[in-house]
Amino acid sequence: MRRLWLLFAQTVTVCLGILFIVATLRPDWLGSGTKAPAPATAPAPAAPGAAASLPQASYAAAVAQATPSVVNIYTSKHINVPLIPTPADPELERLFREIPGFSRRKESTSLGSGVIVRGDGYILTNFHVVEAADAIQVALSDGRESRAELVGADPESDLAVLKINLPGLHSIAFNGAHPVRIGDVVLAIGNPFGVGQTTTMGIVSGLGRNRLGINIYENFIQTDAAINPGNSGGALIDTSGRLVGINTAIYSETGGSLGIGFAIPAHAAQTIMEQIIQTGTVTRGWLGIEPQDITPDLARAFKLRQSDGVIVASVQRNGPAWHGGLRVGDIVLKIGDEQVVDSIGFLNQIAPLPPGQAVTLTIARDGKARDIKVEVGTRPRIRRP
């Protein structure tokens, strides 16, 4: 038995030795060896133009759609330039200006941008672009030029409407029911520094910006698309080529773009434009009061539980609020069913109301709430010097 076991052990040892030699020298005999990897073949060179089929982020179609509607505006006007240094005192300056030879008239030119909003020649731009201009010239993207007529302006929103008489004009499409959202990609088209029509890209950085001291009625779109001098009045469009705003101002300490630009929303600009085209002016509701925000100190002084609403700081004699019985110190809480939040919102709530309409104001007086009916008047127009 022991002899058989030794014979078995020797046989197994010899077989394992043979298997090791075969696996090392001729693994293909076993059929389980790993095959050497095939050499990698180089990819075939791409055919000419194949890269164009790859998806790319391009806004060329939107720019091509909107560009023919954006125009360059050149204005000229005559200004009085003093020949000697002007005194700092306003009264002395007025007296100096009456001295013969104190100043001479000089022609001043400026540039801006505009947007063709109707095929019959109406152009929307900023009021400050054409303010006090003696002559306005418009240059189209196709090279044509035309003298423009000022149809009307609204200094309180910094908008103006021009009219040119040229055939084959391409009007821009408004964004209409497509709301603007923070984070949307937008493109600014205009004529910065007079270098020619230029397109810049950014996103919508904020909505409803106000208290900037630019206009009386402020409700700006903020964008980081580069806006520079000369872009004023140009188009802010979405990625479909629709108009979402009129580029108006920038925040800058150097005069150049720092990534904070402001545009008037297209729907607000369209409403004002239509009024100017129809009547030559813009009519806004007016109550004849000066509203003041409720600060925490005022809220404690008036023993208010909330800071919403506005305090009546002054009432114009014989104005709508005067006749309605509103007093200084009253706190306006609601206009009709709408809550009043602050003075800026209050002005924007009053402005759309048609003159002659009776509106109910919910106020707080002597710690008690009461309703007062006021007939809305017409806001007096600002007279520019």
Side-chain angles (χ1 to χ4, degrees):
M1 184 68 183
R2 184 168 176 269
R3 185 176 179 181
L4 292 175
W5 173 252
L6 290 175
L7 181 62
F8 173 75
Q10 291 174 354
T11 303
V12 171
T13 302
V14 172
C15 291
L16 289 176
I18 295 173
L19 180 64
F20 174 76
I21 294 173
V22 172
T24 302
L25 300 180
R26 298 300 299 268
D28 52 309
W29 286 4
L30 301 177
S32 60
T34 56
K35 296 182 179 180
T41 58
S53 63
L54 297 176
Q56 296 180 355
S58 174
Y59 306 107
V63 174
Q65 175 72 18
T67 292
S69 304
V70 182
V71 301
N72 300 335
I73 297 176
Y74 303 90
T75 63
S76 62
K77 60 184 176 182
H78 290 84
I79 59 175
N80 292 323
V81 180
L83 300 177
I84 59 176
T86 305
D89 185 88
E91 193 64 26
L92 287 177
E93 180 184 359
R94 185 183 63 81
L95 293 175
F96 267 67
R97 290 186 182 279
E98 295 177 359
I99 300 175
F102 170 77
S103 62
R104 63 183 177 87
R105 288 180 64 80
K106 178 184 177 182
E107 186 179 48
S108 172
T109 60
S110 62
L111 57 89
S113 304
V115 186
I116 300 174
V117 290
R118 282 182 28 175
D120 51 355
Y122 286 99
I123 296 173
L124 191 59
T125 186
N126 285 136
F127 171 69
H128 73 260
V129 171
V130 297
E131 183 178 7
D134 297 323
I136 305 172
Q137 193 77 8
V138 171
L140 277 65
S141 61
D142 59 10
R144 291 184 293 170
E145 294 189 3
S146 174
R147 191 180 183 90
E149 169 195 358
L150 178 62
V151 178
D154 180 40
E156 295 182 344
S157 65
D158 195 19
L159 288 172
V161 177
L162 308 178
K163 178 75 164 58
I164 59 175
N165 294 312
L166 286 176
L169 297 177
H170 185 281
S171 61
I172 201 165
F174 286 80
N175 64 325
H178 302 274
V180 181
R181 301 169 301 173
I182 296 175
D184 283 351
V185 173
V186 288
L187 309 168
I189 307 177
N191 182 23
F193 299 108
V195 300
Q197 198 169 88
T198 303
T199 302
T200 56
M201 184 192 75
I203 64 169
V204 174
S205 308
L207 298 172
R209 296 296 194 224
N210 52 39
R211 300 180 185 275
L212 303 175
I214 300 174
N215 305 329
I216 294 178
Y217 294 96
E218 297 180 339
N219 180 28
F220 292 113
I221 299 170
Q222 180 184 331
T223 177
D224 64 351
I227 297 175
N228 289 289
N231 271 110
S232 292
L236 188 70
I237 65 171
D238 61 17
T239 54
S240 297
R242 296 182 294 253
L243 183 71
V244 300
I246 300 294
N247 300 321
T248 298
I250 59 174
Y251 175 83
S252 176
E253 298 177 352
T254 62
S257 175
L258 294 179
I260 301 179
F262 302 101
I264 301 171
H267 65 86
Q270 186 176 21
T271 300
I272 292 171
M273 173 201 73
E274 290 172 352
Q275 287 195 47
I276 291 176
I277 292 175
Q278 293 174 5
T279 65
T281 60
V282 176
T283 301
R284 290 186 173 91
W286 177 69
L287 296 183
I289 66 174
E290 180 185 349
Q292 180 180 347
D293 290 337
I294 299 177
T295 63
D297 291 338
L298 290 175
R300 285 193 294 268
F302 283 89
K303 298 180 180 180
L304 300 176
R305 296 181 180 178
Q306 77 284 340
S307 59
D308 290 347
V310 295
I311 296 177
V312 178
S314 66
V315 181
Q316 182 167 330
R317 183 178 293 272
N318 294 323
W322 174 278
H323 292 297
L326 215 59
R327 302 176 186 172
V328 173
D330 287 345
I331 300 173
V332 182
L333 303 175
K334 289 184 178 181
I335 301 176
D337 295 328
E338 295 182 4
Q339 192 77 27
V340 175
V341 177
D342 54 25
S343 57
I344 297 295
F346 179 73
L347 290 175
N348 288 326
Q349 287 171 303
I350 295 296
L353 299 177
Q357 175 180 324
V359 62
T360 300
L361 302 180
T362 301
I363 68 169
R365 179 186 296 172
D366 299 329
K368 298 180 180 179
R370 64 180 67 187
D371 292 338
I372 291 181
K373 284 192 176 181
V374 179
E375 184 176 319
V376 179
T378 302
R379 181 177 178 84
R381 296 184 179 88
I382 293 179
R383 294 184 179 180
R384 295 277 173 166

